[in-house]
Amino acid sequence: MPTQVPSVSTFSRLGIGPQVDPGAQPTKAAVTWLRRDIVRGTFEPGERLKVEQVAAFYGLGFSPVREAIITLSTAGLVEHEFQRGYRVAYT
């Protein structure tokens, strides 16, 4: 997991931070944050996405993070490896 690059979930300046309330819509917040962090390079291509670590990184539960990873895998940003989990796609 990255330690030097902050997550977009921590941004507080107007116009930069999340456009969704994680308390009301945690899955939508997870999808938004994870997509932005993958695109901006917080998670590097090929990096393994462990649900426990991503959930701790964003301060969300496991279920919203799992749903976000699956959603982004259908969008092509995350690759599923049979019996190995998920990784950031090489795009």
Side-chain angles (χ1 to χ4, degrees), residues 26-73:
T27 300
K28 188 173 180 181
V31 169
T32 301
W33 294 341
L34 187 55
R35 179 185 297 120
R36 286 185 184 173
D37 283 344
I38 288 172
V39 169
R40 69 191 286 262
T42 302
F43 298 101
E44 296 180 12
E47 183 175 347
R48 189 165 177 211
L49 296 174
K50 294 183 180 180
V51 173
E52 299 83 14
Q53 291 176 339
V54 175
F57 187 63
Y58 292 126
L60 295 172
F62 294 167
S63 293
V65 170
R66 265 191 226 103
E67 291 177 35
I69 289 172
I70 291 169
T71 299
L72 294 177
S73 72

Side-chain angles (χ1 to χ4, degrees), residues 3-15:
T3 57
Q4 296 177 359
V5 180
S7 165
V8 294
S9 67
T10 61
F11 293 175
S12 59
R13 203 172 93 197
L14 292 176

